[in-house]
Amino acid sequence: MYMPASLFRKLAVKIPLATSLKTYRWELFHSDVFAGIITAILLIPQGMAYALLAGLPVQVGIYTSLLPAIAYVLFGTSRVLSVGPVSIAAIMVASALSSPEIMEYGTPIQNAMILALEGGLILCLMSLLNMGNLVHYISQPVLSGFTSGAAVIILISQIPHMIGLHVQPCNTIENCVTQIPTNINVHEMGLGLLAFSLLIIMGTPLSKLLIYFNLKKSLRTALTKSAPLLSVISGTLLVTLYSLQNTQGVDIVGSIPQGMPEVSFSFLEISTEHALVLLPSAIFISLIAYVESVAIAKVMASARGEKISPNQELVALGTANLASSISGGMPVAGGFSRTMVNYSAGAQTQIAMLIAVTLIAVVLHSLTHTLEYIPTAALAAIIIVAVTPLVKLKSIFQIWHQDKADGFSQAITFIGVLALGIEEGIILGVVATVFNYLKRAGKPHLAVVGRIKNTNHYRNINRHNVETWKHLLLIRIDENITFANINYIAEFIEKEQKNYDAKTIVLIFSSVSYVDTTAVSTFKEMIAGLRLTGTIIHLSEVRGPVFDKLKKMDFFNDLLPGRVFFQTNEAVTNVTKTLN
């Protein structure tokens, strides 16, 4: 069927998959099929594990891997991003569901669906408001500190499950410690450590061995990334063969409903109060999910020479979360490990994710009885191995060494997440970042400069061997001038005027692209005060927008007899003639 070019272009903007299909070549299909199979192999056990991490039945993790992935395939701009349940979102959901005020309303599954719904609506609303660039307003140190803190919380929560530790509630540390030897299920520990060992061995060690034997990259990916499936299969076989759930009390996944999830809106029958109590958590989860997803998508796009649209990603992730909410799922985001697997396995387009979704649907329809016997210790091991690389304590010290303000933001976020909670930790980190920004903005870099001999270049007198002149002071302002820093700048100018006994000061505005009204008013007062002492102020290299602003505020009349020079060298030439 013929489609007009103009209509196709409009469709391609809203549904990027249309562009992929238009240029799709059948020789790419083999790569997409292979990548889809490998991604599904990882996604099934990982999805189940993340559902348990969120405090939800394992089938929720599988449901979350179906419709949301299809929604992202339709609307997403990344060709390899794998959207579904992720560890960070799961721990945030767990934190929300365990709070006393939320536990009073609805069931965990219902609340998880509402979180996905509210998060989806928030992201779609942000798209309508063209807020795609919001990703730039959460600094990397804060995001890194949050991720490390959340990963530590995940590890602390999952290690007892992997080693079969079932400690009863205790009032003292001594009471907890004395329970440990008698409350470890050694059979669960064995299954957990078996899964953990397989995951470790089939990671870097196996990859290096396969590289030594010159195996193709696609085969290496297939073998190493099948580790979660192999660890689950081995544990399930042992449980089934020896009935460990009955004879040794080994925890297993348990009954899983067979068949596809039903699309339902019944969870919407809630009170306004119920919806509002979940809203703050939904805001945090959706924002972090978006920031993480876009960051991953950008890395992948850069590696493939492609581009993504941050605002379109809001649409894609918003609809993915809405799809999750009506199909019994939880909040979703782009997963780094799955995306890397999808990419490494050779995925060319989002057709690979459609293949993965198809395989997951087949498993749900036919193999749910087998999944019931998966030991939870094996799923805990999968989570532990997946999130351990997210703990980057070394990064905190490195950032601190490079930039103490950023290091402080990262450290305070990390500590805040551990000590106060996930949402509180993020808020603390953002507040610390804003404080550091205001502190920096309040004390901009200012330099007394001179001319490098036999050139027209002017540089900091403390860094270069430069030429200076008696009674002439050149000051370069390396920041926009606002109410936050104008007093600091004025004090610096007045101090240096006294130090150099300057009769003429040239302020170099080459790095100034904005001045506010408070700054202009303060400048006028400073110029008038210096004029009374016989000191004249000139400006040089004033940018167009700043010049227009100063003109509107009638600044140049107050500057007289000072002038505005096009270049600093022009100012120096004219002033030195006057001084001589």
Side-chain angles (χ1 to χ4, degrees), residues 516-534:
D516 66 12
T517 54
T518 303
V520 175
S521 297
T522 305
F523 261 132
K524 288 181 178 182
E525 295 172 4
M526 181 192 72
I527 290 168
L530 288 174
R531 191 186 300 119
L532 293 175
T533 66

Side-chain angles (χ1 to χ4, degrees), residues 167-466:
V167 177
Q168 301 300 316
C170 44
N171 298 323
T172 64
I173 294 177
E174 182 182 359
N175 190 8
C176 291
V177 171
T178 54
Q179 288 188 54
I180 291 176
T182 58
N183 285 277
I184 289 181
N185 187 315
V186 294
H187 294 85
E188 276 188 35
M189 179 190 287
L191 292 170
L193 294 179
L194 172 63
F196 182 80
S197 301
L198 286 171
L199 290 164
I200 296 298
I201 293 170
M202 293 183 69
T204 302
L206 179 60
S207 180
K208 288 182 177 179
L209 182 64
L210 297 178
I211 290 173
Y212 178 80
F213 286 107
N214 294 318
L215 259 71
K216 291 170 57 177
K217 183 179 179 181
S218 58
L219 284 177
R220 293 202 309 268
T221 301
L223 291 171
T224 56
K225 301 309 177 184
S226 61
L229 182 64
L230 181 60
S231 64
V232 163
I233 290 175
S234 59
T236 304
L237 285 174
L238 289 171
V239 168
T240 306
L241 287 173
Y242 298 103
S243 298
L244 295 179
Q245 77 279 16
N246 296 321
T247 60
Q248 304 298 334
V250 169
D251 283 343
I252 60 173
V253 166
S255 178
I256 299 176
Q258 186 168 341
M260 301 290 287
E262 294 182 3
V263 175
S264 172
F265 296 89
S266 60
F267 70 97
L268 293 175
E269 299 173 0
I270 59 172
S271 65
T272 303
E273 187 179 4
H274 187 177
L276 290 176
V277 78
L278 287 164
L279 187 58
S281 296
I283 292 172
F284 277 103
I285 293 170
S286 59
L287 288 179
I288 294 299
Y290 172 67
V291 172
E292 290 269 10
S293 300
V294 172
I296 296 167
K298 281 188 173 182
V299 170
M300 293 294 99
S302 176
R304 294 167 59 93
E306 298 168 353
K307 289 185 177 180
I308 67 161
S309 168
N311 210 62
Q312 183 63 27
E313 289 299 296
L314 283 171
V315 176
L317 290 167
T319 53
N321 276 281
L322 293 177
S324 183
S325 69
I326 63 173
S327 58
M330 63 182 188
V332 298
F336 184 73
S337 60
R338 288 197 309 275
T339 299
M340 286 302 299
V341 168
N342 197 31
Y343 170 74
S344 301
Q348 300 298 313
T349 68
Q350 282 288 358
I351 298 297
M353 280 308 301
L354 292 180
I355 301 296
V357 168
T358 302
L359 292 176
I360 294 169
V362 170
V363 170
L364 264 179
H365 189 267
S366 308
L367 300 175
T368 52
H369 179 70
T370 304
L371 299 178
E372 295 176 4
Y373 295 95
I374 296 175
T376 56
L379 296 179
I382 291 172
I383 295 173
I384 289 170
V385 172
V387 304
T388 297
L390 299 179
V391 182
K392 298 178 180 178
L393 298 182
K394 185 178 179 181
S395 171
I396 297 177
F397 296 101
Q398 289 176 337
I399 297 294
W400 180 274
H401 178 71
Q402 296 163 3
D403 188 310
K404 285 185 169 51
D406 282 346
F408 175 76
S409 297
Q410 186 172 357
I412 203 69
T413 306
F414 175 74
I415 295 169
V417 168
L418 293 180
L420 304 175
I422 289 174
E423 295 174 2
E424 293 83 355
I426 296 172
I427 293 173
L428 193 60
V430 170
V431 169
T433 301
V434 171
F435 174 79
N436 287 329
Y437 173 77
L438 293 175
K439 185 178 179 181
R440 287 169 178 165
K443 292 185 177 181
H445 181 261
L446 305 171
V448 175
V449 301
R451 183 169 60 191
I452 296 177
K453 291 185 178 181
N454 301 319
T455 73
N456 292 331
H457 300 297
Y458 292 81
R459 296 293 184 267
N460 193 325
I461 64 172
N462 295 321
R463 294 176 180 268
H464 301 273
N465 183 19
V466 294

Side-chain angles (χ1 to χ4, degrees), residues 481-484 486 514-525 549-550 552-555:
I481 308 173
T482 67
F483 71 94
I486 183 57
Y514 174 78
V515 292
D516 66 12
T517 54
T518 303
V520 175
S521 297
T522 305
F523 261 132
K524 288 181 178 182
E525 295 172 4
K549 183 71 170 285
L550 296 176
K552 285 180 182 179
M553 296 191 65
D554 199 28
F555 176 81

Side-chain angles (χ1 to χ4, degrees), residues 496-508:
E496 295 302 325
Q497 185 272 333
K498 292 177 181 177
N499 290 341
Y500 287 87
D501 189 24
K503 300 303 180 185
T504 304
I505 300 174
V506 177
L507 301 179
I508 304 171

